[in-house]
Amino acid sequence: MSSEHKLNATHRTLIGKQVKTMRQEGKLPAVVYGKHIGSIPITLDLRDATLALRGLPSSALINLEVDGDSHTVLVRDKQYHVLKGHLMHLDFQAVSMTEKIVAMVPVRLHGTAPVMSEYEAMLISDLEELEVEAFPGDLPEYIDVDVSSIVELGDAITVGSLSLGDKVNVRHEDNENIVIAISIATREEEEVIEPAEFEPELIARGKAEEEEEEDEENE
């Protein structure tokens, strides 16, 4: 079950180029939308939001307070500055605790796979996150997968082997691999790639044009 995290926000009236000034003051523009609330432009403190969302999975429920009104939300989109890497904008989806939703839940591998010590083997994650359907209160933040059952090369843990209970519906085929053990030698053979030829001048010019466009967008 997903635990709730908290964020505070205020209604936002600034739009367009005025948002640049707001960002310079350490504020983060965002939008919260939902079937029952429409779309609401909001403002958060950039530092607080960055710290609160750092390492938080996309399936984590957040209690978003907007000028005293409380909304249970999921982060649906994060936009970052291409060059500086800081948050530029957030999209939140308000959810109802009585209506099922679809979300992507990260997979976490734990345990020790015997195959890795018995053979020259490595584990390949075919699915790093799973699409699931559940009521928000039943939505897991992570799906933990124990790899200790992987003993031989070719052994795999499939979607059908998961035990998530009857409250979480995994929207994948049962035979899809989550993780599989393969030979390191086999992996190295698969990763042999012919070097491509590029024009250095064209790459440099293209990068400069992208940076110029990004600076114009952020003004």
Side-chain angles (χ1 to χ4, degrees), residues 160-189:
S161 66
L162 295 176
S163 298
L164 301 180
D166 57 3
K167 295 182 178 180
V168 179
N169 176 38
V170 181
R171 293 160 63 96
H172 292 264
E173 297 296 328
D174 286 349
N175 61 357
E176 288 188 66
N177 291 335
I178 298 174
V179 60
I180 187 171
I182 70 167
S183 165
I184 291 177
T186 301
R187 182 63 172 180
E188 289 174 348
E189 290 175 2

Side-chain angles (χ1 to χ4, degrees), residues 93-124:
Q93 180 188 0
V95 299
S96 168
M97 300 302 287
T98 60
E99 297 177 5
K100 288 187 175 182
I101 59 172
V102 174
M104 301 301 294
V105 181
V107 172
R108 288 193 304 196
L109 305 182
H110 66 93
T112 301
V115 68
M116 299 183 71
S117 59
E118 292 294 327
Y119 305 95
E120 276 195 43
M122 64 187 302
L123 300 181
I124 300 298

Side-chain angles (χ1 to χ4, degrees), residues 14-30:
L14 297 179
I15 58 174
K17 292 187 176 181
Q18 295 174 313
V19 174
K20 180 180 179 181
T21 301
M22 184 181 71
R23 289 195 179 104
Q24 291 172 342
E25 297 173 350
K27 302 300 181 182
L28 177 65

